[in-house]
Amino acid sequence: MSSIPNESGHQRPAPEAGPAPTRRTVLMAGAAGAVVVPALAACGGGGSGSGSGGGRLRVGVAGGSSNDTVDAHQPTDNPDIARVYNLYAGLCRFASDFTVQMALAESLEPNKEADVWTAKLKKGLTFHDGSPVNADALIFTLERITDPDRPGTSSEQLSQMKRDDLKKVDDLTVEIPFKEPFVTFKELCAEYAMGLVPEGYDPEKPVGAGPFTFKELTKGERSVFSAFDDFWDGRPQIDELEIINFADESARVNALVSGQVEVIAQVPHSQIEVIEGNENLQILESESGMWLPFTMRVDEKPFDDVKVRQAFRLIVDRQQMIDQALNGYGLLGNDMYSRFDPYYNEDLPQREQDIKEARKLLKDAGYEDDLEVELVTGPISAGAESAAQVFQEQAKKAGVKVELKRVTSEEFYGDNYLKWTFAQDFWSARHYLTQAAQGSYPGAPFNETHWDDEEWIELVDEARATVDDEKRGKLIKKAMKIEYERGGYIVWGFPSMIDGISKKVKGFEPSVVGHPLGGYNFHAVTMEA
């Protein structure tokens, strides 16, 4: 997500230096008044292609805008994330069960104190342009991500790296030192925004080491890629990949139903029956760690008062929101992300709707049946707009008037992103410390709630530097408790990922990572003629 997802995956500006819906909607492909989809390339998806692969796979993805990018270290919206997953490869990668596997690295190991990590690259690997994947490229990549003039989305997590002391041990080995122990470095290296690039990398002519090479990008519309014969994990089975932007959910579904694309990410939950009712289509469902929070800025009224934040959390009937916004496809949230973290705090009481207590808290904060708030929403992820509508209705019971401000995905992640007082977002699965560094820590690239709590910061800093697993786990649970009690997120649920796929497409597997289509994994996909 992110984004994450959130990652989260969003159309966000580049970080500055430093710090109740209808249950079912029936769509008729080709019916009068159908939503117009973007003009698609003439090349069909089922034809045979060159080499050992075959055809062009056309994929419809939610979002996209004139700010679309193929920059390895600046992915934001869903299409950006889909692109970097396939253009680039990192030292490690997440498997479908969220375990970390080696990718370009043969090994990645810390010293006893975990303040120096040694990365050893696999032999004989090349980038798309034929240049070697070597120690110089790894050092260049790490320096680029942490460039103070244009930091990458992972820069805050590398803030303790001794940038000037990266050591080339040999042509395939690099020592990466940190100012203090960094126990989650391997997890970071599996993130999609950590792809290796060659020296002299130009994002306008992107070169990576992922399964597909860059062919073309039309911002706000589509991007096209070709299979990379020398990918470290084997050549993709398809010849070409086309990623197509769809800001409108109905248009995305119509494109699949009418055969204009073979695959769509994030089927709107209200339209699942449309896919299931078509004999040529199928659903891919993945239980995931993705989350769609409501975001409350803790530094602006009315959310600068913790009593208001707690009241808003108590307004939510979480199961009703899952049932209505997600059509039942999701698991209860408890105002805390990172559900797959091994130290997830299961001792926190499950929050349930309590309108009486919410009214009391609002009254104590000086608001009694007179609170009006604006909630910014848009087509940023399947279920988001529906969840906003559900919250609007639930809030009436507590005397809170919620005005929905519907914007496009481009506007949502435009100049006002990270400034909205009350909004939404989407994030993919991450472990707690990694997610905190992306979205909650002061100076994080996407601190959308403007969270800045000294006690919490001390705990997170200590946890990052604690090598002992048991001690680190206790610190993480304490930090989670603080966010649960006074943070700026309403984490009401974890949506299942629901993707729509033509039955002639084979090879997708469910993934808990929290990005659609098995983590946009097109490498192993095949298509029948």
Side-chain angles (χ1 to χ4, degrees), residues 1-10 12 15 69-77 80-94 104 138 140-147 150-158 185-197 201 427-430 434 438 445-446 513 515 519-520:
M1 137 40 37
S2 62
S3 181
I4 213 137
N6 225 205
E7 165 142 36
S8 64
H10 322 326
R12 297 160 161 154
T69 183
V70 287
D71 191 316
H73 307 130
Q74 300 287 348
T76 50
D77 201 359
D80 293 346
I81 297 171
R83 285 186 283 267
V84 298
Y85 260 118
N86 290 279
L87 264 176
Y88 307 100
L91 294 175
C92 309
R93 67 178 179 183
F94 285 115
L104 300 182
L138 175 54
F140 174 84
T141 297
L142 292 172
E143 289 178 339
R144 184 177 192 271
I145 293 171
T146 56
D147 183 346
R150 184 171 170 77
T153 59
S154 298
S155 59
E156 198 284 329
Q157 296 183 72
L158 289 171
F185 182 58
K186 187 176 289 188
E187 294 171 16
L188 172 61
C189 289
E191 290 281 337
Y192 56 83
M194 289 290 290
L196 268 65
V197 294
Y201 169 81
W427 290 91
S428 61
R430 286 183 175 91
T434 307
Q438 283 292 92
F446 310 121
V513 173
H515 285 130
Y520 297 114

Side-chain angles (χ1 to χ4, degrees), residues 145-461:
I145 293 171
T146 56
D147 183 346
D149 293 328
R150 184 171 170 77
T153 59
S154 298
S155 59
E156 198 284 329
Q157 296 183 72
L158 289 171
S159 61
Q160 295 300 309
M161 185 182 75
K162 296 181 179 179
R163 191 170 184 269
D164 296 331
D165 295 331
L166 294 168
K167 181 180 178 181
K168 177 180 176 180
V169 178
D170 58 41
D171 198 45
L172 294 176
T173 309
V174 176
E175 286 186 357
I176 307 166
F178 294 88
K179 298 174 184 177
E180 58 185 30
F182 187 11
V183 295
T184 59
F185 182 58
K186 187 176 289 188
E187 294 171 16
L188 172 61
C189 289
E191 290 281 337
Y192 56 83
M194 289 290 290
L196 268 65
V197 294
E199 292 183 277
Y201 169 81
D202 180 359
E204 297 300 317
K205 300 176 181 179
V207 172
F212 294 91
T213 65
F214 178 74
K215 193 170 183 179
E216 63 182 82
L217 168 67
T218 303
K219 292 187 176 184
E221 296 183 20
R222 67 168 45 76
S223 48
V224 181
F225 311 88
S226 299
F228 179 39
D229 290 338
D230 297 323
F231 180 54
W232 72 270
D233 200 21
R235 184 195 190 277
Q237 298 299 304
I238 56 174
D239 288 324
E240 290 187 309
L241 169 66
E242 183 176 9
I243 297 173
I244 304 164
N245 297 3
F246 285 91
D248 182 88
E249 291 188 336
S250 295
R252 196 162 71 251
V253 175
N254 281 341
L256 178 65
V257 172
S258 64
Q260 293 175 291
V261 298
E262 287 74 44
V263 176
I264 61 170
Q266 296 180 288
V267 174
H269 295 84
S270 62
Q271 299 178 15
I272 291 172
E273 276 191 353
V274 176
I275 310 299
E276 293 178 329
N278 189 308
E279 63 180 6
N280 298 315
L281 306 176
Q282 59 189 337
I283 288 292
L284 175 69
E285 179 181 359
S286 303
E287 181 181 306
S288 80
M290 179 188 184
W291 46 296
L292 294 174
F294 292 98
T295 61
M296 303 176 287
R297 273 189 59 172
V298 302
D299 60 341
E300 286 202 356
K301 290 184 179 300
F303 302 111
D304 57 344
D305 190 324
V306 67
K307 291 188 290 292
V308 174
R309 303 199 294 273
Q310 293 296 58
F312 271 52
R313 287 167 159 174
L314 293 173
I315 283 171
V316 182
D317 182 331
R318 295 154 199 267
Q319 189 59 57
Q320 182 187 53
M321 190 164 286
I322 290 171
D323 291 343
Q324 295 189 12
L326 305 180
N327 217 19
Y329 289 91
L331 299 176
L332 284 178
N334 197 28
D335 298 325
M336 185 44 54
Y337 45 82
S338 300
R339 61 179 291 246
F340 291 125
D341 192 291
Y343 305 112
Y344 187 83
N345 195 335
E346 301 283 0
D347 297 329
L348 299 175
Q350 175 62 55
R351 276 208 177 93
E352 298 180 354
Q353 187 182 63
D354 189 336
I355 298 299
K356 182 178 179 180
E357 180 63 18
R359 282 183 173 274
K360 179 181 181 301
L361 287 167
L362 291 173
K363 182 178 180 180
D364 290 346
Y367 303 99
E368 187 172 9
D369 295 330
D370 62 349
L371 180 57
E372 297 185 13
V373 296
E374 180 181 81
L375 172 57
V376 182
T377 186
I380 59 173
S381 187
E385 290 179 287
S386 297
Q389 293 170 5
V390 175
F391 184 83
Q392 182 184 44
E393 291 302 310
Q394 293 177 347
K396 293 178 181 177
K397 298 178 182 180
V400 177
K401 182 179 181 181
V402 178
E403 293 288 344
L404 299 185
K405 178 182 176 67
R406 291 180 173 87
V407 299
T408 64
S409 179
E410 181 165 7
E411 183 179 353
F412 189 96
Y413 294 116
D415 293 340
N416 287 318
Y417 179 62
L418 306 180
K419 299 177 184 178
W420 305 119
T421 299
F422 187 38
Q424 295 171 283
D425 216 332
F426 72 94
W427 290 91
S428 61
R430 286 183 175 91
H431 286 168
Y432 184 76
L433 295 178
T434 307
Q435 177 60 46
Q438 283 292 92
S440 295
Y441 201 85
F446 310 121
N447 187 350
E448 54 207 340
T449 69
H450 293 222
W451 175 243
D452 187 355
D453 185 286
E454 291 185 6
E455 182 183 4
W456 180 86
I457 293 169
E458 290 179 4
L459 286 168
V460 169
D461 286 346

